[in-house]
């Protein structure tokens, strides 16, 4: 009986997330830069607390990214 319980343990501990919705807006700034806003809704499951999240932003060597902020429910994110 113990072997059966251990066989199902990894499945029971699995954490998953789904990207439920994404809304992206882009605008050309007066200086030629691009202002981008992205709103995403993510659904977490698995019964355990997630300890981090990340979003990859690809860019080329000669490009810059500045002015990044993260909001959670309309408020500045605070870990």
């Amino acid at each position: 009986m113990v072997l059966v319980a251990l066989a199902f343990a990894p499945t029971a501990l699995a954490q998953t997330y789904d990207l439920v919705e994404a809304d992206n807006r882009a605008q050309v700034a007066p200086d030629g830069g691009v202002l981008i806003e992205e709103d995403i809704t993510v659904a977490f499951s698995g019964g355990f607390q997630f300890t981090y999240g990340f979003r990859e932003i690809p860019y080329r060597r000669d490009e810059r990214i500045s002015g990044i902020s993260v909001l959670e429910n309309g408020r500045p994110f605070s870990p």
Side-chain angles (χ1 to χ4, degrees), residues 12-38:
L13 297 177
Q15 292 178 285
T16 63
Y17 68 92
D18 292 307
L19 178 61
V20 177
E21 184 178 355
D23 181 26
N24 298 287
R25 294 166 302 286
Q27 180 181 4
V28 177
D31 66 358
V34 179
L35 306 172
I36 299 175
E37 280 188 45
E38 178 182 58

Side-chain angles (χ1 to χ4, degrees), residues 36 55-57 59 64-71:
I36 299 175
R55 184 76 165 146
E56 289 186 30
I57 304 173
Y59 62 97
R64 292 188 328 257
I65 296 177
S66 63
I68 295 175
S69 63
V70 176
L71 303 176

Side-chain angles (χ1 to χ4, degrees), residues 31-76:
D31 66 358
V34 179
L35 306 172
I36 299 175
E37 280 188 45
E38 178 182 58
D39 295 322
I40 60 172
T41 303
V42 181
F44 298 97
S45 62
F48 293 93
Q49 183 176 0
F50 280 74
T51 56
Y52 71 93
F54 68 94
R55 184 76 165 146
E56 289 186 30
I57 304 173
Y59 62 97
R60 290 180 224 131
R61 190 176 66 187
D62 57 338
E63 296 175 325
R64 292 188 328 257
I65 296 177
S66 63
I68 295 175
S69 63
V70 176
L71 303 176
E72 182 177 29
N73 297 324
R75 295 184 301 268

Side-chain angles (χ1 to χ4, degrees), residues 1-13:
M1 190 65 129
V2 174
L3 293 176
V4 173
L6 290 176
F8 291 107
T11 304
L13 297 177

